[in-house]
C-alpha cells in the first residue's frame, strides 16, 4: 500500500500549508478558499455599501469594529496558547465560540495560517489538531462549500509528515459526519486514505478513527461507495490486514459484516476478505485485569462468527478450517468451531455442504463417542441437528442427488447397531446422535424412526433385565418426545402410529414392572403418548387411568405414586371426560371406603386419594367434580376428636390449596372454586365456633391453630386472582359476616346463636379466632377493590389486636390490620387510623399486661409502612430501636427485625397485591443500621445481644452485593455476634458470613485468625443447626488465599476430627467435606 511509514518523504511539503486566502479560486491556493460571503481580513468593508447609509457609521461603527478586533485578538491568543502546547483546554473554548457565532471556521483557519505554514511538523500537527477538534464539535454547522474546501485541504494533508496524520484523520472523521457532504467526496476521501495512509503503522486510536470514517460513509453514502466496486473491498482489506487491537477488531468485523449483508461487490477478493478475518479464528483473547473498555472474549467470538456465517461464498474456505479446528486438542477451538458450523447451516445449502459432509460427520461422531466434555457433546448434537435441517430445507432439481438420504444412511449405519447393546458404553452416544438428526425436520424424523423404532421395540422384548429395559425405554422416550414437535400426523406417514400397539404394550409393561426406576420412565412415556392427539384409543385411555390409579394409590414407593399423580394432572386437560368419568369416581369410592385395615393403612390411602384428587383437578369440568368430594370429606373428618382428625383436616386443606393454585389461571374455575369453597369453609368454622355446640374447644379440630393456619392459604389462593368485579361481590358478603353477623350467604346458615367475633365477652373467644380467615380473605383482595365499612373494620381489628388474651387471635388481628393499612390510599383517613394505632400502642408498650400484643402490632404496622415507604415508618422504626434496650421486650423486638426484612407467607407480599416498593431492604439498611451500631456501642452489657441479633437479622436478609460493599465497617460487629450466647444470633450471623467468605475473600482474610477461632468453637455448639453452619463456614474458609490459611491448616484439621464422631449424620457429613478441603489446602494443582 502506498503511503508514508515514517513521514520523511513528505517532510519538504511544509510550504503547501494553508495560507491566508488571497483572491484565488478553489483550485489556486494550497488551502481551502473562503466560504461564500467571507471577506479578506485585509480589506475592511465600507459602511453603507451599495449607496445606502446604514447605522454603521459614526461612534457605533467604531464600537462594532473594536468588538470585532477584540474577538479576533481573543481567537488569536487562544490559537497561540493551544499551538504552543500550553493550554489544551483552549480547543473547547474555540469550539464554543464557533458554536455561539463569535467567530467562524474560516476565521479560525486564517488564525491558524502561521502554524499551518510552519516548517516544524509538530507545529503543523498542533494547528491541524485544533482545527479538527473544533470541527468535531461544530461539524453540523458547516455549509456545503465549506465542507468541500475543508475536505480538499485535509486530503492534501494526508501526504504530510507522519506526526500530522492523526490530526488529519480526526478532521476527516468530523467531516464524514456532515450531512451536507457533496456527492463524490466520500469516495475521494477513502481513495486518499487507501493510497496515502499505511493504517497499520498508526497507533490504535488513529486506526480506530479510520474505521470510524469508513463506518460513517457506509451508513450515509452507501450508493457512492458501491460505485467503487471491488476496489472498495480491496482497499478495506489493506486497511484491516494485521489489525490486533480488540477495540478495533469489533469495528472492523462489523464493517466486513455490512460489506456482505449490504451486497457490496467483493469481486475477486472473496478469499482475501475471508483470510483477513478468519486469521483470528478461533479467538484467543484474555481481557486484562480492570479493563476499562469491558471487551470480553465472547464479544469478539460472536462478532467474528457473524462475519464467517454471513455468506455462502466463504463456505469452500471456512468448512475445511472448521474441520481442522474440530480435530485439534483445544476444547475452546472445538466449541467455537461447532457453534460456527451451526450458525452457517442457517444459510448454507446442499451445494456448499456436499463436498464436506463425510468429514463433518466423521468429526462429529468422533467427538460424541469419545469426548468427556458435556459442552462439546451438546454443541456436536446441535451442529448435527443443524446440518440435517439444512439438508432437509434444500430444494432439489430432478437430476440432483438427495444428500439427506445418504447422510442419514451414514448416521444409521454407524449408530444403529449400538442400540442393541444397552449395557455398552456407546449406546447413549449413538441414541443421542440419532435423536439429534431426527429432531431436525419431520422428514428426518420419519427416516430415522422408521429404522430405529422397530429395533428398540424388538430389543425391549429381547432383554429381560429391568436396567436394560429402562435404558431401551429411555431411548424410545427420546424419540416419542420428538414426535411432539410435529404435532398430529396422518397414519400412513407416521412410523409411530404404524407401531401403535407394540409401543403401548411396552409402556404398559414398564408400569407393571417391580423396578421403580423403570416405572418412572414408563410414566413419562405414558404422559408423552397421551399428549399425542389421536394416538391412544378409548380402550387404551381407560387402561391408562387404571394404571395411574393403581400407581397413585397402591404403589409402595412414593416416587412412583407422585409421578403417577403428576401424569394424571398433565393428561386431564387433554381428556377431561375420561378422567372425570373414570378416575374421579374411583378415587371418591376409595376415599369413602371403610375397610377393616389398620388406622395407618387407611390413613395413608386416604392421604393419597386426597392428593390424587387435587392433582387431577387441572380442568374446570374436573374441578367441579372433585371440589364437592373434598368438601364433603372435610365435613366428615372435622366432626371427630382433635387427636385423630387435626391432621386429616390439614390434609384436606392442603389438597384444596393445590386445587386453588391450579385454578388461578382460569377465570371460570377460579370463580367456581371461590364461591364454592370459601363460604363452605367459613360456614363450618362459624358452626364450630358457636358456644352452644356440643363439643368443647379442645375437641374442635377446626379451631386449632394448625387447622386455621392450613385454611388461610386455601382462602388466600382462592381470592388473589379474582377480577375486581367478582372480588367486590364476595367482599360485600364476607365483611358484613364479621362486622354484622350476617350469615345469609353461608350454606347451612341456621346457627344456634349470632356470630360476633368483635363482640365483648369471654364466651366469644372461639369466634375471635376466626379473624384469621378474615385476614386470609381481605388481605388477598386486589388493591383497587373497595372494602365496605373499612374504617369500622380497622378500628375493630386494632382493638382486638391490643386486647385479646389469645396470642394467635391478637397476632392475626394485627396482621389483618397491617395488610389493610398497607393498601389504604394516602389521605386523612389513613393518617387518622395510624394516629389512633400509635395512641393505642404507646401506653400498652410502656407498661401493663399486654406489652407483647402491643409489640406484635407495632412490628406488623411498621412492616406495612416500611414496604410502602410511608413517612411514619421511620418514627415507628425508632420506637423499635428504643425497645431493644428493654430487658423484657428486647429479645422479642430483636427477632422482630427478621419479620421486618423477611418475606411474609400469608400477608404483605406481592402475591396478595400488597404495596411493596423495590429495594425497601436496602433503604431500611441505610436508614437504620447506623442507629443499630450506635445503640450497640451505647447499650448496657445485658442488652447488647439484642442489638447484635437485630443487626444480624437485617444483614442476613440484605442482598449480598449490597452487604459486600458495607462489609469493612460491619465485620467487627459480626465477629462479636459470634461470641453471643444466643443461638439465634449465632445461626443468623453464620448464615450471613458464609456467602461473604466466598464473595469477599480479600476482606475476610484480614480477620482470618478470629474467624478460625470462632468457627472452630461453634462446631461444639449444643445446637445442631449451629454446628452445621459453623462447619460450612469452616469449609468456606478454604476460598481465602492459600498463603493466609496455611499457618492454620494443622490446627483446623485437628479440631475438625471431633465433629467426625458427632451423633448427627448431617453434622458428620459437613465435617467430612470441610476437613477434606483443609487436607487438600496447598496441594499441587489445587
Amino acid at each position: 500500500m502506498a503511503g508514508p511509514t515514517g513521514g520523511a518523504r513528505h517532510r519538504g511539503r511544509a510550504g503547501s500549508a494553508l495560507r491566508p486566502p488571497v483572491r484565488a479560486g478553489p483550485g489556486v491556493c494550497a488551502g481551502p478558499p473562503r466560504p461564500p460571503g467571507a471577506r479578506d481580513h485585509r480589506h475592511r468593508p465600507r459602511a453603507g455599501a451599495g449607496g445606502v447609509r446604514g447605522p454603521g457609521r459614526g461612534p457605533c461603527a467604531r464600537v462594532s469594529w473594536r468588538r470585532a478586533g477584540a474577538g479576533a485578538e481573543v481567537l488569536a491568543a487562544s490559537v497561540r496558547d493551544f499551538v504552543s502546547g500550553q493550554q489544551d483546554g483552549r480547543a473547547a473554548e474555540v469550539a464554543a465560540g464557533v458554536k455561539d457565532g463569535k467567530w467562524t471556521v474560516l476565521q479560525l483557519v486564517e488564525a491558524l495560517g502561521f502554524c499551518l505554514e510552519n516548517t516544524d511538523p509538530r507545529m503543523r500537527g498542533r494547528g491541524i489538531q485544533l482545527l479538527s477538534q473544533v470541527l468535531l464539535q461544530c461539524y453540523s454547522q458547516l455549509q456545503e462549500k465549506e465542507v468541500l474546501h475543508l475536505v480538499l485541504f485535509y486530503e492534501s494533508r494526508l501526504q504530510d509528515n507522519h506526526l500530522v496524520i492523526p490530526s488529519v484523520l480526526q478532521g476527516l472523521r468530523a467531516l464524514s459526519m456532515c450531512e451536507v457532504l457533496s456527492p463524490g467526496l466520500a469516495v475521494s476521501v477513502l481513495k486518499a486514505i487507501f493510497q496515502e495512509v499505511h493504517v497499520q503503522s498508526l497507533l490504535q486510536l488513529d486506526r480506530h478513527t479510520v474505521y470510524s470514517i469508513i463506518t460513517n460513509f457506509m451508513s450515509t453514502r452507501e450508493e457512492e461507495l458501491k460505485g467503487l466496486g471491488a476496489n472498495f473491498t480491496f482497499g478495506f482489506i489493506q486497511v484491516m490486514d494485521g489489525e490486533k487491537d480488540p477495540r478495533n477488531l469489533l469495528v472492523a468485523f462489523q464493517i466486513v459484516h455490512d460489506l456482505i449483508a449490504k451486497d457490496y461487490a467483493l469481486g475477486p477478493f472473496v478469499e482475501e476478505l475471508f483470510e483477513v478475518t478468519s486469521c483470528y479464528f478461533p479467538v484467543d483473547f484474555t481481557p486484562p485485569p480492570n479493563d476499562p473498555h469491558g471487551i470480553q472474549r465472547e464479544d469478539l467470538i460472536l462478532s467474528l462468527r457473524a462475519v464467517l456465517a454471513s455468506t455462502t461464498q466463504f463456505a469452500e474456505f471456512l468448512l475445511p478450517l472448521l474441520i481442522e479446528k474440530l480435530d485439534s486438542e483445544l476444547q475452546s477451538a472445538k466449541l467455537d468451531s461447532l457453534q460456527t458450523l451451526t450458525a452457517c447451516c442457517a444459510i448454507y445449502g446442499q451445494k456448499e455442504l456436499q463436498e464436506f459432509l463425510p468429514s463433518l460427520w466423521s468429526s462429529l461422531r468422533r467427538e460424541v463417542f469419545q469426548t468427556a466434555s458435556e459442552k462439546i457433546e451438546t454443541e456436536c448434537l446441535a451442529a448435527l441437528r443443524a446440518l440435517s435441517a439444512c439438508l432437509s430445507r434444500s430444494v432439489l432439481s430432478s437430476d440432483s442427488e438427495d444428500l439427506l438420504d445418504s447422510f442419514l444412511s451414514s448416521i444409521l449405519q454407524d449408530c444403529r447397531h449400538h442400540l442393541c447393546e444397552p449395557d455398552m458404553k456407546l449406546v447413549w452416544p449413538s441414541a443421542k446422535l440419532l435423536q439429534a438428526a431426527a429432531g431436525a425436520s419431520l422428514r428426518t424424523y420419519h427416516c430415522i424412526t422408521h429404522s430405529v423404532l422397530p429395533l428398540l421395540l424388538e430389543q425391549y422384548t429381547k432383554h429381560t433385565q429391568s436396567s436394560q429395559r429402562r435404558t431401551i425405554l429411555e431411548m424410545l422416550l427420546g424419540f416419542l418426545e420428538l414426535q411432539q414437535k410435529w404435532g398430529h400426523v396422518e397414519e400412513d406417514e407416521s412410523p409411530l402410529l404404524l407401531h401403535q400397539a407394540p409401543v403401548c404394550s411396552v409402556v404398559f409393561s414398564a408400569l407393571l414392572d417391580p423396578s421403580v426406576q423403570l416405572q418412572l420412565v414408563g410414566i413419562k412415556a405414558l404422559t408423552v403418548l397421551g399428549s399425542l392427539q389421536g394416538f391412544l384409543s378409548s380402550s387404551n385411555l381407560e387402561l391408562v387411568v387404571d394404571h395411574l390409579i393403581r400407581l397413585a394409590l397402591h404403589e409402595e414407593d412414593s416416587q412412583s405414586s407422585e409421578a403417577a399423580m403428576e401424569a394424571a394432572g398433565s393428561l386431564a386437560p387433554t381428556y377431561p371426560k375420561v378422567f372425570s368419568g373414570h378416575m374421579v369416581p374411583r378415587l371418591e369410592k376409595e376415599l369413602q371406603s371403610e375397610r377393616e385395615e389398620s388406622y395407618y393403612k387407611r390413613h395413608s390411602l386416604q392421604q393419597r386419594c386426597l392428593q390424587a384428587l387435587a392433582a387431577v383437578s387441572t380442568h374446570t369440568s374436573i374441578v367441579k367434580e372433585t371440589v364437592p368430594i373434598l368438601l364433603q370429606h372435610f365435613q366428615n373428618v372435622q366432626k371427630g376428636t382433635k387427636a385423630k382428625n387435626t391432621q386429616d383436616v390439614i390434609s384436606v386443606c392442603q389438597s384444596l390449596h393445590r386445587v386453588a393454585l391450579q385454578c388461578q389461571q382460569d377465570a371460570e374455575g377460579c370463580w367456581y372454586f371461590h364461591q364454592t369453597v370459601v363460604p363452605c369453609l367459613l360456614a363450618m368454622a362459624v358452626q364450630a365456633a358457636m358456644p352452644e355446640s356440643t363439643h368443647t374447644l379442645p375437641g374442635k379440630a377446626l379451631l386449632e391453630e394448625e387447622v386455621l393456619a392450613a385454611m388461610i392459604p386455601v382462602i388466600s389462593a382462592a381470592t388473589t386472582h379474582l377480577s375486581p368485579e367478582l372480588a367486590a361481590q364476595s367482599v360485600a358478603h364476607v365483611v358484613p359476616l364479621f362486622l354484622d353477623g350476617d350469615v345469609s350467604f353461608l350454606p347451612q346458615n341456621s346457627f344456634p346463636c349470632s356470630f360476633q367475633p368483635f363482640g365483648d365477652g369471654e364466651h366469644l373467644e372461639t369466634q375471635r379466632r376466626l379473624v384469621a380467615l378474615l385476614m386470609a380473605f381481605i388481605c388477598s383482595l386486589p388493591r383497587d377493590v373497595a372494602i365496605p365499612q373499612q374504617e369500622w373494620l380497622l378500628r375493630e381489628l386494632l382493638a382486638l389486636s391490643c386486647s385479646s388474651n389469645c396470642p394467635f387471635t391478637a397476632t392475626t388481628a394485627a396482621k389483618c390490620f397491617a395488610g389493610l393499612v398497607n393498601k389504604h390510599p394516602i389521605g386523612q383517613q389513613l393518617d387518622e387510623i395510624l394516629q389512633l394505632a400509635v395512641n393505642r400502642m404507646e401506653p400498652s408498650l410502656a407498661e401493663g399486661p399486654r406489652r407483647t400484643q402491643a409489640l406484635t402490632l407495632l412490628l406488623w404496622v411498621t412492616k406495612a409502612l416500611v414496604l410502602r415507604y410511608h413517612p411514619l415508618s421511620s418514627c415507628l422504626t425508632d420506637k423499635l430501636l428504643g425497645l431493644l434496650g428493654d430487658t423484657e421486650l428486647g429479645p422479642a423486638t430483636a427477632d422482630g427485625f427478621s419479620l421486618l426484612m423477611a418475606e411474609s407467607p400469608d400477608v404483605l407480599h406481592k402475591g396478595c397485591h400488597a404495596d411493596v416498593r423495590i429495594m425497601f431492604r436496602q433503604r431500611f439498611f441505610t436508614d437504620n443500621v447506623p442507629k443499630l451500631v450506635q445503640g450497640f456501642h451505647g447499650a448496657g452489657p445485658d442488652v447488647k445481644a439484642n442489638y447484635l441479633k437485630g443487626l444480624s437479622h437485617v444483614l442476613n436478609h440484605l442482598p449480598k452485593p449490597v452487604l459486600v460493599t458495607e462489609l469493612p465497617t460491619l465485620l467487627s460487629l459480626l465477629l462479636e455476634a459470634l461470641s453471643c450466647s444466643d443461638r439465634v444470633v449465632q445461626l443468623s450471623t453464620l448464615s450471613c458470613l458464609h456467602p461473604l467468605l466466598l464473595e469477599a475473600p480479600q476482606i475476610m482474610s484480614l480477620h482470618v485468625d478470629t474467624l478460625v477461632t470462632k468457627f472452630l468453637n461453634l462446631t461444639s455448639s449444643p445446637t445442631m443447626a449451629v454446628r452445621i453452619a459453623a462447619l460450612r463456614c469452616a469449609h468456606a474458609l478454604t476460598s481465602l488465599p492459600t498463603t493466609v490459611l496455611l499457618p492454620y491448616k494443622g490446627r483446623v484439621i485437628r479440631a475438625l476430627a471431633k465433629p467426625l464422631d458427632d451423633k448427627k449424620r448431617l453434622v458428620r457429613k459437613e465435617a467430612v467435606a470441610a476437613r477434606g478441603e483443609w487436607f487438600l489446602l496447598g496441594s499441587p494443582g489445587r
Side-chain angles (χ1 to χ4, degrees):
M1 182 189 298
T5 55
R9 55 185 284 228
H10 298 299
R11 209 164 280 157
R13 292 184 179 269
S16 63
L18 186 63
R19 295 180 177 85
V22 185
R23 304 180 188 181
V28 177
C29 68
R34 297 185 304 277
R39 295 180 181 271
D40 194 320
H41 69 280
R42 292 168 297 180
H43 302 278
R44 300 189 184 279
R46 291 173 300 165
V52 179
R53 288 184 177 272
R57 295 179 63 84
C60 292
R62 287 194 296 273
V63 172
S64 175
W65 282 114
R66 288 193 201 102
R67 289 173 181 170
E73 292 175 4
V74 171
L75 176 61
S78 297
V79 168
R80 285 194 299 272
D81 288 345
F82 183 90
V83 171
S84 63
Q86 294 177 357
Q87 296 187 32
D88 287 349
R90 292 295 189 187
E93 297 177 6
V94 173
V98 173
K99 283 184 178 180
D100 296 340
K102 293 181 180 178
W103 41 73
T104 65
V105 173
L106 176 63
Q107 290 173 317
L108 173 61
V109 172
E110 292 173 345
L112 285 169
F114 75 94
C115 65
L116 297 180
E117 296 177 316
N118 200 293
T119 57
D120 185 359
R122 291 178 178 80
M123 182 71 73
R124 297 199 303 277
R126 289 289 289 180
I128 297 176
Q129 181 184 354
L130 175 59
L131 178 59
S132 298
Q133 289 187 15
V134 172
L135 291 178
L136 284 170
Q137 299 283 332
C138 310
Y139 64 86
S140 60
Q141 297 177 332
L142 296 176
Q143 302 297 319
E144 183 176 352
K145 288 188 177 180
E146 291 177 322
V147 174
L148 169 64
H149 298 317
L150 287 169
V151 166
L152 294 175
F153 165 68
Y154 274 110
E155 284 183 4
S156 69
R157 293 301 94 198
L158 287 174
Q159 300 176 354
D160 204 334
N161 189 280
H162 71 97
L163 297 174
V164 178
I165 299 300
S167 298
V168 175
L169 293 174
Q170 289 291 345
L172 288 173
R173 181 166 75 90
L175 296 173
S176 71
M177 295 185 283
C178 291
E179 296 181 1
V180 295
L181 194 71
S182 301
L185 287 184
V187 171
S188 174
V189 169
L190 290 181
K191 280 184 176 181
I193 291 175
F194 292 160
Q195 292 172 6
E196 303 295 342
V197 182
H198 184 247
V199 176
Q200 290 307 314
S201 67
L202 301 175
L203 296 177
Q204 178 272 326
L205 180 61
D206 304 324
R207 301 198 304 274
H208 192 277
T209 303
V210 174
Y211 295 129
S212 299
I213 294 170
I214 296 173
T215 301
N216 292 338
F217 284 146
M218 287 181 72
S219 62
T220 58
R221 310 283 165 168
E222 182 177 333
E223 294 304 320
E224 292 182 34
L225 300 190
K226 285 183 177 179
L228 282 171
N231 290 331
F232 175 59
T233 303
F234 178 68
F236 175 73
I237 290 172
Q238 290 181 303
V239 168
M240 181 183 173
D241 191 14
E243 182 60 66
K244 294 181 180 179
D245 192 276
R247 293 164 287 181
N248 293 345
L249 283 174
L250 284 177
V251 184
F253 289 156
Q254 185 60 49
I255 293 174
V256 178
H257 184 270
D258 290 343
L259 281 173
I260 297 168
K262 296 181 179 179
D263 293 325
Y264 283 78
L266 304 185
F269 305 115
V270 173
E271 185 172 2
E272 285 77 5
L273 186 62
F274 172 78
E275 291 295 337
V276 82
T277 52
S278 65
C279 62
Y280 302 100
F281 183 87
V283 172
D284 181 18
F285 170 66
T286 302
N290 303 320
D291 180 19
H293 306 289
I295 297 176
Q296 300 298 317
R297 178 173 175 269
E298 191 66 20
D299 300 327
L300 292 167
I301 289 174
L302 294 176
S303 186
L304 176 58
R305 184 177 302 150
V307 171
L308 298 178
S310 61
T311 176
T312 57
Q313 298 180 73
F314 285 168
E316 62 179 305
F317 315 114
L318 177 60
L319 290 174
L321 176 63
L322 296 180
I323 293 171
E324 175 191 341
K325 299 303 179 183
L326 272 174
D327 295 339
S328 72
E329 297 298 324
L330 193 62
Q331 180 170 327
S332 60
K334 292 177 187 285
L335 285 172
D336 205 353
S337 300
L338 291 166
Q339 291 166 350
T340 304
L341 175 60
T342 302
C344 290
C345 287
I347 64 167
Y348 285 3
Q350 292 200 10
K351 175 184 175 183
E352 289 77 24
L353 293 173
Q354 182 172 7
E355 179 184 351
F356 305 101
L357 277 177
S359 299
L360 287 170
W361 163 239
S362 176
S363 297
L364 293 175
R365 180 192 60 208
R366 182 191 68 248
E367 291 301 324
V368 175
F369 279 180
Q370 297 179 5
T371 187
S373 169
E374 187 177 341
K375 287 184 179 179
I376 291 180
E377 180 186 271
T378 301
E379 294 301 334
C380 281
L381 297 176
L384 178 59
R385 190 179 301 109
L387 279 172
S388 303
C390 177
L391 297 176
S392 301
R393 284 194 308 268
S394 300
V395 179
L396 302 176
S397 58
S398 57
D399 57 343
S400 63
E401 178 189 0
D402 187 0
L403 291 180
L404 180 63
D405 282 345
S406 60
F407 184 62
L408 295 180
S409 296
S410 300
I411 297 174
L412 286 167
Q413 181 181 352
D414 291 342
C415 298
R416 187 177 183 273
H417 62 280
H418 291 301
L419 305 184
C420 302
E421 303 165 336
D423 293 328
M424 302 304 290
K425 177 183 177 182
L426 294 180
V427 62
W428 270 115
S430 300
K432 290 177 181 179
L433 287 167
L434 289 167
Q435 289 168 3
S441 68
L442 184 58
R443 186 179 167 200
T444 59
Y445 178 77
H446 284 163
C447 182
I448 296 290
T449 53
H450 183 77
S451 173
V452 170
L453 199 59
L455 176 66
L456 291 175
L457 295 172
E458 175 189 341
Q459 293 300 313
Y460 186 90
T461 307
K462 180 179 177 181
H463 293 83
T464 57
Q465 293 184 16
S466 295
S467 60
Q468 296 173 330
R469 286 191 162 190
R470 176 192 171 194
T471 300
I472 296 168
L473 187 57
E474 284 178 335
M475 291 188 288
L476 178 61
L477 175 61
F479 289 100
L480 295 179
E481 290 172 338
L482 290 175
Q483 177 68 67
Q484 292 177 304
K485 292 177 61 176
W486 316 117
H488 183 69
V489 291
E490 297 298 328
E491 185 173 352
D492 58 349
E493 296 179 355
S494 174
L496 184 58
L497 289 176
L498 294 175
H499 298 86
Q500 180 181 22
V503 168
C504 289
S505 176
V506 163
V507 173
F508 291 152
S509 71
L511 299 178
L512 295 169
D513 195 275
S515 169
V516 173
Q517 299 304 317
L518 183 54
Q519 286 178 9
L520 294 174
V521 181
I523 292 170
K524 290 181 184 177
L526 189 66
T527 306
V528 174
L529 291 180
S531 67
L532 301 176
Q533 288 288 344
F535 185 82
L536 295 176
S537 64
S538 57
S539 59
N540 280 336
L541 283 172
E542 293 180 10
L543 194 55
V544 166
V545 172
D546 290 339
H547 279 296
L548 292 178
I549 292 174
R550 176 183 57 80
L551 290 169
L553 300 185
H554 304 296
E555 178 59 43
E556 292 184 4
D557 189 88
S558 60
Q559 282 183 288
S560 296
S561 176
E562 292 170 4
M565 294 178 194
E566 292 296 330
S570 299
L571 297 176
T574 308
Y575 310 100
K577 292 183 179 180
V578 175
F579 280 87
S580 62
H582 291 81
M583 189 170 191
V584 174
R586 292 269 301 275
L587 292 173
E588 180 182 13
K589 182 179 178 181
E590 290 286 352
L591 186 63
Q592 296 175 352
S593 66
E594 296 291 341
R595 298 183 181 179
E596 294 183 0
E597 298 175 328
S598 66
Y599 171 78
Y600 173 77
K601 286 186 177 180
R602 187 169 69 255
H603 177 74
S604 176
L605 180 62
Q606 287 185 347
Q607 296 299 305
R608 288 198 176 186
C609 284
L610 293 171
Q611 293 169 6
L613 283 167
V616 80
S617 301
T618 51
H619 190 273
T620 302
S621 63
I622 301 176
V623 170
K624 293 179 180 179
E625 300 284 340
T626 57
V627 165
I629 297 172
L630 291 171
L631 290 177
Q632 183 60 47
H633 188 68
F634 189 96
Q635 290 178 334
N636 294 337
V637 297
Q638 60 96 17
K639 294 176 182 177
T641 59
K642 182 186 75 168
K644 288 188 176 181
N645 290 75
T646 298
Q647 187 57 47
D648 291 339
V649 176
I650 292 174
S651 298
V652 183
C653 289
Q654 291 170 345
S655 295
L656 286 170
H657 181 229
R658 180 171 180 177
V659 177
L661 293 175
Q662 291 167 177
C663 291
Q664 285 181 340
Q665 303 308 318
D666 177 64
E668 180 188 355
C670 185
W671 177 237
Y672 168 79
F673 185 91
H674 180 87
Q675 66 178 351
T676 304
V677 174
V678 173
C680 185
L681 293 182
L682 289 174
M684 286 188 280
V686 170
Q687 180 66 50
M690 289 294 139
E692 286 80 8
S693 184
T694 55
H695 297 287
T696 56
L697 175 59
K700 295 182 180 180
L702 280 190
L703 300 178
E704 293 299 316
E705 291 183 16
E706 298 90 341
V707 175
L708 289 172
M711 293 170 69
I712 287 172
V714 178
I715 297 175
S716 179
T719 307
T720 53
H721 284 65
L722 289 180
S723 66
E725 297 77 18
L726 296 176
Q729 290 182 35
S730 189
V731 75
H733 295 300
V734 176
V735 172
L737 168 66
F738 282 84
L739 288 179
D740 306 322
D742 183 359
V743 297
S744 59
F745 82 104
L746 298 179
Q748 304 171 359
N749 54 17
S750 57
F751 301 111
C753 65
S754 60
F755 180 61
Q756 298 176 321
F758 294 115
D760 296 327
E762 291 295 327
H763 65 286
L764 297 176
E765 188 59 45
T766 56
Q767 295 185 11
R768 297 190 188 107
R769 298 168 73 86
L770 302 192
V771 171
L773 306 184
L774 172 65
M775 175 199 73
F777 170 80
I778 209 163
C779 291
S780 300
L781 292 170
R783 216 180 301 174
D784 53 354
V785 175
I787 299 173
Q789 308 175 79
Q790 184 172 9
E791 304 310 314
W792 180 17
L793 178 60
L794 282 167
R795 291 173 185 273
E796 294 287 2
L797 289 168
L798 178 60
L800 182 60
S801 64
C802 292
S803 61
S804 177
N805 293 321
C806 173
F808 176 78
T809 301
T811 300
T812 52
K815 291 163 72 173
C816 190
F817 179 83
L820 290 174
V821 164
N822 175 262
K823 298 179 185 179
H824 199 293
I826 293 178
Q828 183 179 356
Q829 289 183 334
L830 177 61
D831 295 340
E832 289 176 357
I833 197 67
L834 288 176
Q835 187 59 51
L836 181 63
V838 172
N839 294 340
R840 289 291 297 267
M841 286 187 290
E842 284 185 340
S844 300
L845 284 170
E847 58 182 358
R850 293 191 172 89
R851 298 187 73 198
T852 303
Q853 289 94 320
L855 174 61
T856 302
L857 178 62
L858 174 61
L859 286 168
W860 281 105
V861 173
T862 304
K863 182 178 178 70
L865 299 182
V866 164
L867 292 179
R868 62 180 289 178
Y869 290 176
H870 192 280
L872 186 60
S873 62
S874 59
C875 177
L876 298 185
T877 306
D878 289 341
K879 291 183 182 295
L880 289 173
L881 292 170
L883 288 173
L884 288 173
D886 189 290
T887 54
E888 180 185 353
L889 294 180
T893 305
D895 287 331
F897 278 85
S898 177
L899 184 151
L900 295 178
M901 301 293 286
E903 185 85 4
S904 177
D906 43 13
V907 294
L908 296 178
H909 60 86
K910 289 184 178 180
C912 64
H913 312 288
D915 186 358
V916 181
R917 305 296 177 88
I918 61 171
M919 301 178 69
F920 76 90
R921 293 184 178 88
Q922 289 89 319
R923 179 169 177 168
F924 187 88
F925 169 86
T926 304
D927 292 344
N928 297 293
V929 164
K931 299 177 184 177
L932 276 169
V933 174
Q934 182 181 359
F936 169 80
H937 290 303
D942 54 335
V943 294
K944 276 185 177 290
N946 298 336
Y947 289 90
L948 286 176
K949 184 188 288 190
L951 176 66
S952 180
H953 284 314
V954 172
L955 299 182
N956 203 27
H957 291 92
L958 198 66
K960 293 304 177 282
V962 180
L963 183 55
V964 169
T965 60
E966 302 291 338
L967 185 58
T969 58
L970 297 174
L971 188 55
S972 59
L973 278 179
L974 287 174
L975 295 177
E976 189 165 348
L978 291 177
S979 302
C980 180
S981 58
D982 191 308
R983 306 304 178 203
V984 176
V985 175
Q986 293 173 355
L987 186 58
S988 180
T989 306
L990 290 169
S991 302
C992 183
L993 288 172
H994 182 264
L996 296 177
L997 290 166
L998 304 175
E999 297 174 20
Q1002 297 301 326
I1003 300 174
M1004 302 298 281
S1005 62
L1006 301 176
H1007 303 268
V1008 63
D1009 187 70
T1010 306
L1011 289 169
V1012 168
T1013 303
K1014 303 281 188 185
F1015 292 159
L1016 294 182
N1017 289 340
L1018 290 175
T1019 58
S1020 302
S1021 169
T1023 306
M1024 183 184 75
V1026 174
R1027 297 201 300 276
I1028 291 175
L1031 287 168
R1032 287 176 179 168
C1033 287
H1035 188 173
L1037 275 174
T1038 57
S1039 63
L1040 303 187
T1042 303
T1043 53
V1044 175
L1045 296 177
L1046 282 176
Y1048 304 93
K1049 180 177 179 180
R1051 173 187 167 190
V1052 173
I1053 291 174
R1054 288 191 300 272
L1056 292 181
K1058 181 180 178 182
L1060 292 177
D1061 296 327
D1062 197 279
K1063 60 183 179 181
K1064 296 294 185 179
R1065 181 184 62 84
L1066 293 176
V1067 177
R1068 297 196 300 272
K1069 177 183 175 183
E1070 294 295 339
V1072 169
R1075 197 164 187 254
E1077 281 298 314
W1078 276 91
F1079 264 118
L1080 295 173
L1081 194 69
S1083 302
R1086 185 183 182 276

